[in-house]
mmCIF file of all heavy atoms in Angstrom:
data_model
loop_
_atom_site.group_PDB
_atom_site.id
_atom_site.type_symbol
_atom_site.label_atom_id
_atom_site.label_comp_id
_atom_site.label_asym_id
_atom_site.label_seq_id
_atom_site.Cartn_x
_atom_site.Cartn_y
_atom_site.Cartn_z
ATOM 1 N N GLU S 1 -9.566 70.056 -45.843
ATOM 2 C CA GLU S 1 -8.241 70.383 -46.277
ATOM 3 C C GLU S 1 -8.213 71.154 -47.656
ATOM 4 O O GLU S 1 -7.517 72.206 -47.800
ATOM 5 C CB GLU S 1 -7.389 69.105 -46.492
ATOM 6 C CG GLU S 1 -7.056 68.423 -45.166
ATOM 7 C CD GLU S 1 -6.452 67.073 -45.307
ATOM 8 O OE1 GLU S 1 -6.778 66.352 -46.341
ATOM 9 O OE2 GLU S 1 -5.701 66.633 -44.461
ATOM 10 N N ARG S 2 -9.118 70.708 -48.541
ATOM 11 C CA ARG S 2 -9.225 71.381 -49.808
ATOM 12 C C ARG S 2 -9.740 72.824 -49.577
ATOM 13 O O ARG S 2 -9.308 73.788 -50.302
ATOM 14 C CB ARG S 2 -10.170 70.666 -50.728
ATOM 15 C CG ARG S 2 -9.575 69.416 -51.409
ATOM 16 C CD ARG S 2 -10.323 68.883 -52.559
ATOM 17 N NE ARG S 2 -11.688 68.556 -52.192
ATOM 18 C CZ ARG S 2 -12.016 67.309 -51.716
ATOM 19 N NH1 ARG S 2 -11.107 66.395 -51.503
ATOM 20 N NH2 ARG S 2 -13.247 67.048 -51.384
ATOM 21 N N ALA S 3 -10.776 73.014 -48.799
ATOM 22 C CA ALA S 3 -11.333 74.278 -48.574
ATOM 23 C C ALA S 3 -10.421 75.210 -47.941
ATOM 24 O O ALA S 3 -10.348 76.479 -48.198
ATOM 25 C CB ALA S 3 -12.616 74.223 -47.759
ATOM 26 N N ILE S 4 -9.440 74.760 -47.075
ATOM 27 C CA ILE S 4 -8.457 75.573 -46.387
ATOM 28 C C ILE S 4 -7.174 75.751 -47.195
ATOM 29 O O ILE S 4 -6.559 76.724 -47.143
ATOM 30 C CB ILE S 4 -8.115 74.936 -44.996
ATOM 31 C CG1 ILE S 4 -9.325 75.011 -44.076
ATOM 32 C CG2 ILE S 4 -6.903 75.682 -44.344
ATOM 33 C CD1 ILE S 4 -9.186 74.360 -42.716
ATOM 34 N N GLY S 5 -6.924 74.679 -47.938
ATOM 35 C CA GLY S 5 -5.742 74.734 -48.799
ATOM 36 C C GLY S 5 -4.510 74.287 -48.071
ATOM 37 O O GLY S 5 -3.419 74.654 -48.228
ATOM 38 N N ARG S 6 -4.690 73.418 -47.078
ATOM 39 C CA ARG S 6 -3.634 72.968 -46.165
ATOM 40 C C ARG S 6 -3.925 71.527 -45.734
ATOM 41 O O ARG S 6 -5.157 71.235 -45.382
ATOM 42 C CB ARG S 6 -3.414 73.846 -45.057
ATOM 43 C CG ARG S 6 -2.188 73.587 -44.200
ATOM 44 C CD ARG S 6 -2.160 74.545 -42.979
ATOM 45 N NE ARG S 6 -2.220 75.915 -43.378
ATOM 46 C CZ ARG S 6 -2.361 77.010 -42.538
ATOM 47 N NH1 ARG S 6 -2.474 76.682 -41.249
ATOM 48 N NH2 ARG S 6 -2.420 78.161 -42.921
ATOM 49 N N GLU S 7 -2.937 70.662 -45.666
ATOM 50 C CA GLU S 7 -3.190 69.301 -45.282
ATOM 51 C C GLU S 7 -3.077 69.255 -43.716
ATOM 52 O O GLU S 7 -2.259 69.918 -43.119
ATOM 53 C CB GLU S 7 -2.132 68.327 -45.834
ATOM 54 C CG GLU S 7 -2.377 66.897 -45.537
ATOM 55 C CD GLU S 7 -1.515 65.883 -46.394
ATOM 56 O OE1 GLU S 7 -0.812 66.450 -47.260
ATOM 57 O OE2 GLU S 7 -1.421 64.744 -45.938
ATOM 58 N N ALA S 8 -3.911 68.345 -43.122
ATOM 59 C CA ALA S 8 -3.883 68.261 -41.649
ATOM 60 C C ALA S 8 -2.914 67.280 -41.268
ATOM 61 O O ALA S 8 -2.740 66.257 -41.843
ATOM 62 C CB ALA S 8 -5.300 67.862 -41.214
ATOM 63 N N VAL S 9 -2.319 67.491 -40.015
ATOM 64 C CA VAL S 9 -1.613 66.528 -39.355
ATOM 65 C C VAL S 9 -2.543 65.713 -38.543
ATOM 66 O O VAL S 9 -3.300 66.315 -37.727
ATOM 67 C CB VAL S 9 -0.417 67.154 -38.375
ATOM 68 C CG1 VAL S 9 0.335 66.091 -37.634
ATOM 69 C CG2 VAL S 9 0.485 67.944 -39.264
ATOM 70 N N LYS S 10 -2.635 64.363 -38.621
ATOM 71 C CA LYS S 10 -3.661 63.515 -38.039
ATOM 72 C C LYS S 10 -3.154 62.737 -36.905
ATOM 73 O O LYS S 10 -2.170 62.026 -37.096
ATOM 74 C CB LYS S 10 -4.252 62.705 -39.149
ATOM 75 C CG LYS S 10 -4.923 63.444 -40.308
ATOM 76 C CD LYS S 10 -5.301 62.629 -41.494
ATOM 77 C CE LYS S 10 -5.704 63.461 -42.603
ATOM 78 N NZ LYS S 10 -4.477 64.077 -43.334
ATOM 79 N N ASN S 11 -3.853 62.793 -35.815
ATOM 80 C CA ASN S 11 -3.602 61.919 -34.631
ATOM 81 C C ASN S 11 -4.715 61.006 -34.434
ATOM 82 O O ASN S 11 -5.803 61.291 -34.043
ATOM 83 C CB ASN S 11 -3.530 62.828 -33.433
ATOM 84 C CG ASN S 11 -3.208 62.230 -32.147
ATOM 85 O OD1 ASN S 11 -2.589 61.172 -32.140
ATOM 86 N ND2 ASN S 11 -3.714 62.670 -31.055
ATOM 87 N N PHE S 12 -4.397 59.686 -34.957
ATOM 88 C CA PHE S 12 -5.375 58.670 -34.942
ATOM 89 C C PHE S 12 -5.560 58.037 -33.583
ATOM 90 O O PHE S 12 -4.621 57.656 -32.892
ATOM 91 C CB PHE S 12 -5.034 57.583 -35.998
ATOM 92 C CG PHE S 12 -5.138 58.083 -37.327
ATOM 93 C CD1 PHE S 12 -3.979 58.448 -38.105
ATOM 94 C CD2 PHE S 12 -6.390 58.214 -38.039
ATOM 95 C CE1 PHE S 12 -4.038 58.925 -39.420
ATOM 96 C CE2 PHE S 12 -6.474 58.632 -39.378
ATOM 97 C CZ PHE S 12 -5.321 58.986 -40.009
ATOM 98 N N LEU S 13 -6.915 57.994 -33.128
ATOM 99 C CA LEU S 13 -7.242 57.508 -31.798
ATOM 100 C C LEU S 13 -8.292 56.364 -31.872
ATOM 101 O O LEU S 13 -9.010 56.307 -32.861
ATOM 102 C CB LEU S 13 -7.685 58.679 -30.943
ATOM 103 C CG LEU S 13 -6.634 59.717 -30.653
ATOM 104 C CD1 LEU S 13 -7.219 61.010 -30.057
ATOM 105 C CD2 LEU S 13 -5.509 59.238 -29.718
ATOM 106 N N PRO S 14 -8.543 55.661 -30.791
ATOM 107 C CA PRO S 14 -9.657 54.748 -30.663
ATOM 108 C C PRO S 14 -11.028 55.334 -30.709
ATOM 109 O O PRO S 14 -11.079 56.569 -30.405
ATOM 110 C CB PRO S 14 -9.356 53.980 -29.437
ATOM 111 C CG PRO S 14 -8.019 54.287 -28.974
ATOM 112 C CD PRO S 14 -7.760 55.645 -29.572
ATOM 113 N N LEU S 15 -12.012 54.585 -30.934
ATOM 114 C CA LEU S 15 -13.467 55.069 -30.765
ATOM 115 C C LEU S 15 -13.690 55.541 -29.330
ATOM 116 O O LEU S 15 -13.232 54.874 -28.386
ATOM 117 C CB LEU S 15 -14.389 53.912 -31.152
ATOM 118 C CG LEU S 15 -15.900 54.305 -31.165
ATOM 119 C CD1 LEU S 15 -16.170 55.196 -32.332
ATOM 120 C CD2 LEU S 15 -16.750 53.016 -31.235
ATOM 121 N N GLN S 16 -14.337 56.616 -29.210
ATOM 122 C CA GLN S 16 -14.605 57.196 -27.879
ATOM 123 C C GLN S 16 -15.864 56.513 -27.238
ATOM 124 O O GLN S 16 -16.752 56.109 -27.995
ATOM 125 C CB GLN S 16 -14.805 58.707 -27.924
ATOM 126 C CG GLN S 16 -13.578 59.479 -28.373
ATOM 127 C CD GLN S 16 -13.864 60.995 -28.352
ATOM 128 O OE1 GLN S 16 -13.492 61.660 -27.368
ATOM 129 N NE2 GLN S 16 -14.671 61.489 -29.341
ATOM 130 N N ALA S 17 -15.908 56.461 -25.898
ATOM 131 C CA ALA S 17 -17.038 55.880 -25.227
ATOM 132 C C ALA S 17 -18.310 56.728 -25.576
ATOM 133 O O ALA S 17 -18.236 57.983 -25.660
ATOM 134 C CB ALA S 17 -16.843 56.004 -23.764
ATOM 135 N N GLY S 18 -19.369 56.078 -25.837
ATOM 136 C CA GLY S 18 -20.651 56.658 -26.192
ATOM 137 C C GLY S 18 -20.862 56.938 -27.647
ATOM 138 O O GLY S 18 -21.922 57.408 -28.062
ATOM 139 N N ASP S 19 -19.767 56.810 -28.455
ATOM 140 C CA ASP S 19 -19.788 57.208 -29.778
ATOM 141 C C ASP S 19 -20.221 55.928 -30.635
ATOM 142 O O ASP S 19 -20.115 54.875 -30.198
ATOM 143 C CB ASP S 19 -18.501 57.742 -30.303
ATOM 144 C CG ASP S 19 -18.712 58.797 -31.407
ATOM 145 O OD1 ASP S 19 -19.733 59.003 -31.980
ATOM 146 O OD2 ASP S 19 -17.665 59.602 -31.644
ATOM 147 N N VAL S 20 -20.630 56.182 -31.919
ATOM 148 C CA VAL S 20 -21.004 55.101 -32.821
ATOM 149 C C VAL S 20 -20.227 55.115 -34.085
ATOM 150 O O VAL S 20 -19.866 56.202 -34.457
ATOM 151 C CB VAL S 20 -22.504 54.991 -33.038
ATOM 152 C CG1 VAL S 20 -23.383 54.748 -31.852
ATOM 153 C CG2 VAL S 20 -22.969 56.328 -33.824
ATOM 154 N N PRO S 21 -19.875 54.002 -34.760
ATOM 155 C CA PRO S 21 -19.011 54.055 -35.913
ATOM 156 C C PRO S 21 -19.677 54.681 -37.137
ATOM 157 O O PRO S 21 -18.981 55.272 -38.005
ATOM 158 C CB PRO S 21 -18.681 52.631 -36.169
ATOM 159 C CG PRO S 21 -19.090 51.817 -34.933
ATOM 160 C CD PRO S 21 -20.105 52.658 -34.309
ATOM 161 N N ALA S 22 -21.016 54.536 -37.224
ATOM 162 C CA ALA S 22 -21.590 54.963 -38.491
ATOM 163 C C ALA S 22 -23.077 55.464 -38.247
ATOM 164 O O ALA S 22 -23.688 54.985 -37.376
ATOM 165 C CB ALA S 22 -21.696 53.805 -39.478
ATOM 166 N N THR S 23 -23.488 56.416 -39.130
ATOM 167 C CA THR S 23 -24.866 56.874 -39.180
ATOM 168 C C THR S 23 -25.255 57.060 -40.612
ATOM 169 O O THR S 23 -24.497 57.390 -41.466
ATOM 170 C CB THR S 23 -25.176 58.217 -38.432
ATOM 171 O OG1 THR S 23 -24.416 59.198 -39.016
ATOM 172 C CG2 THR S 23 -24.759 58.044 -36.964
ATOM 173 N N HIS S 24 -26.511 56.740 -40.925
ATOM 174 C CA HIS S 24 -27.059 56.871 -42.293
ATOM 175 C C HIS S 24 -28.589 57.021 -42.223
ATOM 176 O O HIS S 24 -29.244 56.084 -41.653
ATOM 177 C CB HIS S 24 -26.699 55.585 -43.090
ATOM 178 C CG HIS S 24 -27.201 55.583 -44.542
ATOM 179 N ND1 HIS S 24 -27.083 54.578 -45.337
ATOM 180 C CD2 HIS S 24 -27.823 56.571 -45.227
ATOM 181 C CE1 HIS S 24 -27.732 54.854 -46.460
ATOM 182 N NE2 HIS S 24 -28.141 56.003 -46.481
ATOM 183 N N ALA S 25 -29.169 58.099 -42.626
ATOM 184 C CA ALA S 25 -30.598 58.375 -42.437
ATOM 185 C C ALA S 25 -31.460 57.806 -43.727
ATOM 186 O O ALA S 25 -31.032 58.204 -44.801
ATOM 187 C CB ALA S 25 -30.797 59.805 -42.282
ATOM 188 N N ASP S 26 -32.448 57.163 -43.354
ATOM 189 C CA ASP S 26 -33.482 56.952 -44.349
ATOM 190 C C ASP S 26 -34.512 58.184 -44.153
ATOM 191 O O ASP S 26 -35.056 58.454 -43.052
ATOM 192 C CB ASP S 26 -34.227 55.617 -43.991
ATOM 193 C CG ASP S 26 -35.382 55.344 -44.943
ATOM 194 O OD1 ASP S 26 -36.053 56.196 -45.415
ATOM 195 O OD2 ASP S 26 -35.660 54.103 -45.009
ATOM 196 N N VAL S 27 -34.735 58.794 -45.279
ATOM 197 C CA VAL S 27 -35.544 60.079 -45.239
ATOM 198 C C VAL S 27 -36.858 59.912 -46.002
ATOM 199 O O VAL S 27 -37.481 60.907 -46.301
ATOM 200 C CB VAL S 27 -34.732 61.304 -45.699
ATOM 201 C CG1 VAL S 27 -33.597 61.577 -44.832
ATOM 202 C CG2 VAL S 27 -34.369 61.194 -47.119
#
């Protein structure tokens, strides 16, 4: 939104099948 200069209209939905809530890499 900051990069575009416009706020998004958000449509909040449930978690999709096959997706995971979080990722975090140990490098």
Side-chain angles (χ1 to χ4, degrees):
E1 292 171 330
R2 282 195 301 274
I4 293 175
R6 187 182 306 171
E7 188 173 346
V9 178
K10 302 166 188 76
N11 182 26
F12 291 100
L13 297 168
L15 186 69
Q16 294 186 102
D19 215 342
V20 297
T23 64
H24 179 188
D26 180 327
V27 297

